[in-house]
Amino acid sequence: MATLQKIRGKAGLLVGVIGVALLAFIVGDLLNSGHTFFSMNRNKIAVVNGKKITPEEFQAQVQMRTEEMQNMYRQQYGMSLPEGAASRINKEVYDQMVQDILLADATEELGLTVSKEELSDLLQGDNIVPMVKQQFTDPQTGVFNKDLLLNFLQVIFDENESNLQGEMKDQIMRQREAWLNIEKNVKQQQLVGKYFTLLSKSMAPNKLDLKAAYDNGKSSVDFAYVEQPYTSIADSTIAVSESELKNLYNKEKENFKQEEKREVKFFSVDIVPSQGDYKLTEEKINNLKENFSTTTDIAGMLSFNTDVPYVDAYVAQRNMNPEMKKFVETSQVNDVYGPVFEDESYKMYRLMGKTVAPDSVKVRHIMFPLQADEKIKNQMDSILNVLNNGGDFAALAKQFSVDQNSAANGGDLGWLTETTAAQFGQKFVSSIFNGGSGFFTVETPYGQHIMQVTERTAAVPKAKVAQLVLKVRPSSETYSTLYNKVSSYIAENGNLESFEKNAKDKGFTLNTVELTTEDISVGMLNDGREIVRWAYKSDKGDISEIFNIENKFLVAALSNVTPAGYAPLKTLESYLKTKLLADKKADMIMKSLSEKAPKTLDAYASAMNSKVDTAKFVTFNTSVITGIGREPVLCGIAPYASVNQLQGPVKGNNGVYVLSVTKKDESSVPMNNDMEKQKYQQMMYSLLSSQLMEVMKDKAEIENNRVKFF
């Protein structure tokens, strides 16, 4: 009991000790983890209405979109993604993820959903969306094959993954992921469609709206006019006070909201070869000439020595560049041409062979997995037997080929040249160009194939040419010289004032740009995202490290930071002054005209030191008047004015106008309520489509941290 009483007596002390120990444990854990608590707020790309976008989920979406774009560029243009594509994909994905959250919130609040049954109907039921139909439509016949779609879904979702290996498994997984992405997009589009329909229905026009819309386009007029432009009065003759500027600024202040901006001054130096680099490259290709001319392993020799990969394929002479074609036509096998200098490269050609053969062949295939499997072998033998006995190749390809892309077209791979076919290996090239007709099998790095050549072009002269190409590149010495030149300038001019002041004397051209967090291009650079990220983590006056961007060394200085909020009066002074000058000039012109009191258009022309001109076919809905420009005041007055009656003087955007309608055409077509309603709804839908997301973003709470990561 005594012990218990002592414990009770020390309870406060014990609680304090335990509390300190727990606090030490928690703080120690936080310090050891390095980021569990303190970086919690940093571990997010954005927060949209309280919903967090993490770097992991953002990067997953970026990777998926990048793969889609890369495949598209390869298929359509035969090239990799262009410079700046990565940054643009990042922005596109960010915008889409923000949009998805905003729309999800809006539709959830309204109780809009897409049920499983509805989604199933859109993907594989009676109302399949065009996005899916397009993937499973025969381009030859234009007929959608629903059985092919259902078979595809069964393969990618019902296949036992334990039976899949290598390329086959990767292909199934990619197709499954692509399909799930389609499902997500279809569901999203359906929700968006419902949301847009609901909003557009809420903006249905009444009878007065329709009558006004009809009347606004009913009258078309021609008119004669006289203009005295504001430029006819010199700016220097009019005074604009600071108080006037401030009053106009305060009046229009809400139009001047802006996000944070960062002004950067930068110069760049092109990383280009020196004269010594040209000489070294020429010497190198001359040293390789004997080996290039005599080697029996041309592919092996070129694999280490050329900037243009060797393709072991015959090419139609008519498709060669003029210089190569002339060499082939006048040379014997193993003759060598060059070196010559062209397109910043030194080149040599060696003629490896000549032949006369089809330039292209059209082929189709049924593809099977690459792994050696008795079951697959028996299946291929069985299908070959069916084909040799009159079986339908296209139907068999759709049923059995693991290449679902070509299967949708009956296995058709289209027209192939030897160059395009070389990616499948020499066995493949030899089989389709040197084989006969009928069906045959061949193995490639991608799988096992049952092949058929369906068409061949006429035989033409062809040649196989090996090219040794050495592009002249800046050497490490040149690179270091340029880098040291820039580095020395930074070391000697480490503050903003000297950085700006001394650039010209050192041969550097300084550029100035104002950046936002969403910018990608910087000046003439397609992808300056690295500079944008630097600018937004730096302080005014900071000088950057040396960036290596688009084959340039670039250095930037952060010269100004404009915080988010209202643009300062100083930056808008020129704009505000122009408006005030125009208004004061208009008053001066109209006062002068009032004193002169002209009675005719010709008299106004004389008083305004101008001439009479004409405009035609102007309605209330006209946005730009030919010969005048954007002058809403004229479109508002002219259609409702009486013929031959002077109107004005009136203030316009560009000058003061006086006009007289010379001709008025009233539409004889009676008002059609249904047509006007349809036009009105199309206009509303267009406004919704173009402005809805911007309005939603403006009203949402969005914390954008993307510039800290990407």
Side-chain angles (χ1 to χ4, degrees), residues 439-617:
F439 309 102
F440 54 92
T441 62
V442 65
E443 185 177 301
T444 72
Y446 304 98
Q448 302 176 77
H449 311 256
I450 294 176
M451 305 291 308
Q452 183 187 24
V453 177
T454 56
E455 291 184 65
R456 288 184 171 90
T457 59
V460 295
K462 301 173 71 174
K464 185 186 296 184
V465 179
Q467 301 182 64
L468 198 165
V469 179
L470 296 182
K471 184 175 179 60
V472 183
R473 294 184 172 86
S475 63
S476 57
E477 182 180 349
T478 300
Y479 189 96
S480 296
T481 300
L482 292 172
Y483 187 92
N484 290 337
K485 178 183 177 182
V486 175
S487 183
S488 296
Y489 184 78
I490 298 174
E492 295 167 4
N493 300 275
N495 60 73
L496 180 60
E497 183 181 357
S498 62
F499 181 86
E500 293 184 67
K501 181 181 178 182
N502 299 322
K504 187 175 181 180
D505 291 342
K506 293 294 184 180
F508 300 134
T509 301
L510 217 56
N511 300 281
T512 304
V513 292
E514 196 170 46
L515 304 174
T516 70
T517 58
E518 297 302 296
D519 282 331
I520 295 171
S521 301
V522 174
M524 298 300 290
L525 296 172
N526 288 321
D527 189 3
R529 190 65 188 169
E530 195 175 355
I531 302 168
V532 176
R533 288 200 301 272
W534 169 81
Y536 274 85
K537 68 180 181 182
S538 302
D539 297 320
K540 182 178 177 180
D542 283 356
I543 310 295
S544 75
E545 70 271 25
I546 300 175
F547 295 110
N548 188 340
I549 302 175
E550 295 179 16
N551 212 33
K552 301 175 188 293
F553 288 133
L554 183 147
V555 181
L558 185 59
S559 51
N560 193 36
V561 176
T562 304
Y566 297 102
L569 173 60
K570 186 177 180 180
T571 64
L572 296 164
E573 196 168 292
S574 177
Y575 162 77
L576 295 170
K577 187 175 181 180
T578 299
K579 286 196 72 173
L580 287 169
L581 285 171
D583 201 48
K584 290 191 172 193
K585 289 177 182 180
D587 290 340
M588 289 175 62
I589 293 169
M590 294 178 78
K591 182 181 179 183
S592 173
L593 292 174
S594 177
E595 292 170 353
K596 294 176 181 177
K599 301 299 182 183
T600 66
L601 205 57
D602 287 333
Y604 269 107
S606 177
M608 298 165 79
N609 195 27
S610 185
K611 62 183 178 65
V612 178
D613 213 331
T614 58
K616 294 181 178 293
F617 313 118

